[in-house]
Amino acid sequence: LAAEHEATLMIFDKMLATDDTQTFKRRMLVKQLTHALDKHAHQEENVIYPALREAGQKVEADELNGEHGYVKTYLYELNQMPGDDPSWTTKVREFRDM
């Protein structure tokens, strides 16, 4: 999971290195990010969070699981946003910081 976190951060960095003229590249990077985060979330939801709950850390598991809702919202917004939208980079930066 740590390697996946690192790989995801690298995708974010590639996204932030684009400009408004690179709409195709931005679309592809959003797709890569979506795929990476879907796979990662699936693993966390099916392995990590149940293990935390079994270890008596239900509140922590629920908080982490709740963050996945924010991830899905950001991904939806980026997928709906035109690649040349002036606020695209701001949205990506907010997402990365979250």
Side-chain angles (χ1 to χ4, degrees):
L1 289 176
E4 289 176 1
H5 276 244
E6 190 64 33
T8 300
L9 291 175
M10 287 176 29
I11 296 170
F12 276 116
D13 292 343
K14 288 177 184 178
M15 293 169 79
L16 291 170
T18 63
D19 63 48
D20 292 347
T21 66
Q22 296 174 298
T23 58
F24 180 78
K25 184 172 185 175
R26 285 180 172 184
R27 278 293 129 226
M28 292 302 101
L29 288 168
V30 169
K31 289 194 183 312
Q32 286 179 5
L33 182 65
T34 300
H35 176 73
L37 290 174
D38 281 348
K39 179 181 177 231
H40 186 80
H42 180 74
Q43 290 174 334
E44 286 182 338
E45 291 167 2
N46 291 303
V47 177
I48 303 299
Y49 302 160
L52 286 172
R53 286 184 179 91
E54 286 180 24
Q57 297 179 329
K58 182 184 180 314
V59 172
E60 293 84 348
D62 290 345
E63 287 174 1
L64 290 168
N65 195 41
E67 289 178 5
H68 285 192
Y70 294 112
V71 168
K72 291 174 185 174
T73 299
Y74 274 104
L75 287 172
Y76 174 80
E77 290 173 354
L78 283 172
N79 276 297
Q80 298 303 309
M81 187 179 285
D84 60 353
D85 187 312
S87 62
W88 193 88
T89 303
T90 301
K91 180 65 68 178
V92 171
R93 190 170 286 111
E94 287 173 8
F95 190 9
R96 187 186 193 283
D97 290 345
M98 189 213 50

